[in-house]
């Protein structure tokens, strides 16, 4: 679960290798996965996973306290504890797919199904949709479901070799997506790791890439999510410019608002006072106007999180912030 070599990038690399054995790959993901997880299903999964009833009870109580508006569904987005519960919840679905002989790989709520015919690929999709609805009350995103040939998948993969890119811009984007934006402030080599990451990021015009995406009618969600995550490690003037741009374009960033909110919250204390006020006024104006950005429960919860105090451990730490708090 916490092996740094395993992540979104290795998931994509594995899929790229796996598709070499098949003619087709079907890409799909679960619609609003974390916000729609029912707590009673988590309770059932915990009951099957452990005999420690007290630990399970405390987990259930904590989830109920974290729910916005007292609803009995939804997992927090971004925490390792939520990741563990999400994996526990989808374990049965994975096993049912394996029992059908379906070759697939999954990372969180993203699925790739591999088959040698279009008919088998679509049949696998139907089965996945059925078991998710029947056992978890979840559904798949139609807009993100796509059937591709082996060559098409290899050509569009974000981790394909740069030589396969159709343009210099695509090659540059793929190199950026390969960056592993991980930094452990408690590592014995924290200073060196932080500077190495910042040096790598300096090779890319993060603000320019973000601006180009925001001008599009439909953003590349994978790329923009990586760009938003990278803001934690930019120089202050670049970071502030990027955060200001994010707040002006929340409607464009609607599919990624929880990710944006988490990063902005982590950076909040390091932003200038005028920019902090811009963040708050931007959120207030949209709430008062009834913006669709906040009609989704997960987005509403993410907005609420921005009102909470930010502790030192929530912020990205670099050499300038040492000494660091002791590990908890």
């Amino acid at each position: 679960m916490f092996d740094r070599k395993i992540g979104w990038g290795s998931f994509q690399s594995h899929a790229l290798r796996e598709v070499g054995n098949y003619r087709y790959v079907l890409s799909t993901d679960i619609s609003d996965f974390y916000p729609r997880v029912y707590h009673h299903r988590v309770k059932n999964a915990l009951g099957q996973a452990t005999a420690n009833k007290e630990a399970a009870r405390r987990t259930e109580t904590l989830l109920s306290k974290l729910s916005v508006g007292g609803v009995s569904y939804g997992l927090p987005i971004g925490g390792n504890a939520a990741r563990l519960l999400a994996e526990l919840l989808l374990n049965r679905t994975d096993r049912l797919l394996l029992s059908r002989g379906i070759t697939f790989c999954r990372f969180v709520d993203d699925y790739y199904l591999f088959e040698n015919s279009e008919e088998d690929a679509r049949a696998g999709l139907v089965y996945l949709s059925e078991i998710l609805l029947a056992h978890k009350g979840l559904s798949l995103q139609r807009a993100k479901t796509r059937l591709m040939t082996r060559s098409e998948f290899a050509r569009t993969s974000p981790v394909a070799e740069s030589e396969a890119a159709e343009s210099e811009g695509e090659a540059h984007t793929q190199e950026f997506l390969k960056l592993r934006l991980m930094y452990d402030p408690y590592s014995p080599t924290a200073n060196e790791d932080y500077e190495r990451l910042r040096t790598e990021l300096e090779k890319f015009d993060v603000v320019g890439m973000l601006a180009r995406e925001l001008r599009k009618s439909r953003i590349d969600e994978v790329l923009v999510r990586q760009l938003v995550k990278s803001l934690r490690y930019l120089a202050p003037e670049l970071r502030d410019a990027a955060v200001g741009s994010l707040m002006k374009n929340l409607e464009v960033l609607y599919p990624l608002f929880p990710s944006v909110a988490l990063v902005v919250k982590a950076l909040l204390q390091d932003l200038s006072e005028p920019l902090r006020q811009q963040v708050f006024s931007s959120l207030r104006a949209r709430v008062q106007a009834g913006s669709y950005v906040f009609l989704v429960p997960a987005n509403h919860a993410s907005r609420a999180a921005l009102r909470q105090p930010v502790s030192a451990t929530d912020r990205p730490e670099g050499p300038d912030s040492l000494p660091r708090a002791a590990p908890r």
Side-chain angles (χ1 to χ4, degrees):
M1 282 296 299
F2 305 105
D3 186 342
R4 287 193 176 188
K5 296 179 182 178
I6 298 176
W8 185 87
S10 59
F11 164 67
Q12 296 292 341
S13 297
H14 173 80
L16 199 58
R17 291 191 299 270
E18 190 68 51
V19 77
N21 302 316
Y22 297 88
R23 294 177 59 194
Y24 295 94
V25 58
L26 196 145
S27 171
T28 189
D29 66 16
I30 301 174
S31 179
D32 296 325
F33 174 51
Y34 278 94
R36 294 179 58 196
V37 169
Y38 288 100
H39 292 171
H40 75 273
R41 298 183 189 275
V42 175
K43 177 181 179 180
N44 293 340
L46 284 168
Q48 295 173 351
T50 178
N52 189 337
K53 295 183 179 180
E54 178 60 18
R57 186 192 65 79
R58 292 186 181 189
T59 301
E60 296 158 24
T61 301
L62 183 59
L63 285 178
S64 67
K65 297 293 185 183
L66 291 173
S67 296
V68 178
V71 297
S72 59
Y73 56 83
L75 291 177
I77 299 174
N80 285 329
R83 285 182 57 210
L84 283 167
L85 292 176
E87 291 299 318
L88 174 64
L89 194 73
L90 291 176
N91 179 56
R92 184 180 183 186
T93 303
D94 290 346
R95 291 179 178 274
L96 287 171
L97 288 175
L98 290 173
S99 69
R100 272 289 182 98
I102 295 174
T103 302
F104 74 99
C105 59
R106 176 180 64 80
F107 184 73
V108 191
D109 57 349
D110 293 321
Y111 282 90
Y112 288 133
L113 278 60
F114 305 95
E115 294 290 354
N116 281 314
S117 73
E118 290 189 37
E119 183 179 353
D120 288 342
R122 296 191 186 281
L125 175 67
V126 170
Y127 181 64
L128 173 59
S129 178
E130 288 176 345
I131 59 177
L132 279 172
L133 183 60
H135 299 291
K136 310 300 176 188
L138 299 169
S139 59
L140 297 172
Q141 291 206 50
R142 292 185 180 182
K144 292 187 177 181
T145 299
R146 183 181 179 189
L147 179 63
M148 294 170 279
T149 63
R150 174 171 53 201
S151 59
E152 183 181 8
F153 180 73
R155 186 171 62 253
T156 58
S157 171
V159 296
E161 292 301 318
S162 298
E163 305 89 79
E166 295 179 2
S167 68
E168 183 178 345
E170 289 182 11
H172 192 66
T173 297
Q174 288 180 359
E175 286 301 315
F176 177 72
L177 288 171
K178 290 179 182 178
L179 282 181
R180 185 137 179 89
L181 299 174
M182 290 286 294
Y183 168 69
D184 180 5
Y186 303 118
S187 167
T189 58
N191 291 1
E192 294 83 351
D193 295 343
Y194 186 83
E195 289 305 321
R196 188 181 304 113
L197 181 54
R198 291 193 63 170
T199 300
E200 285 297 314
L201 277 172
E202 287 175 358
K203 299 176 182 177
F204 302 92
D205 179 12
V206 172
V207 177
M209 294 168 70
L210 182 60
R212 286 192 292 274
E213 284 298 315
L214 293 177
R215 286 195 293 267
K216 297 179 180 179
S217 58
R218 184 174 181 178
I219 61 173
D220 181 334
E221 293 186 23
V222 173
L223 174 58
V224 173
R225 184 178 284 109
Q226 178 87 332
L227 288 167
V228 170
K229 288 170 59 179
S230 72
L231 301 187
R232 296 168 179 256
Y233 310 102
L234 295 184
E237 62 275 10
L238 294 176
R239 176 202 63 211
D240 287 9
V243 170
S245 183
L246 292 178
M247 301 315 297
K248 293 177 182 177
N249 292 277
L250 288 182
E251 281 72 22
V252 179
L253 294 163
Y254 164 71
L256 299 177
F257 182 78
S259 299
V260 172
L262 286 169
V263 170
V264 173
K265 177 190 175 185
L267 295 173
L268 208 53
Q269 287 191 356
D270 295 324
L271 301 179
S272 65
E273 183 59 26
L275 184 53
R276 270 201 299 271
Q277 293 307 315
Q278 180 186 336
V279 169
F280 297 137
S281 63
S282 176
L283 294 174
R284 279 195 297 268
R286 286 174 168 86
V287 171
Q288 291 167 356
S291 171
Y292 65 84
V293 175
F294 297 122
L295 296 182
V296 178
N299 292 0
H300 186 72
S302 300
R303 172 184 62 83
L306 283 171
R307 298 198 302 264
Q308 304 303 317
V310 184
S311 68
T313 54
D314 285 330
R315 300 199 305 269
E317 299 181 66
D320 296 337
S321 65
L322 299 178
R324 299 177 299 279
R328 293 178 293 175

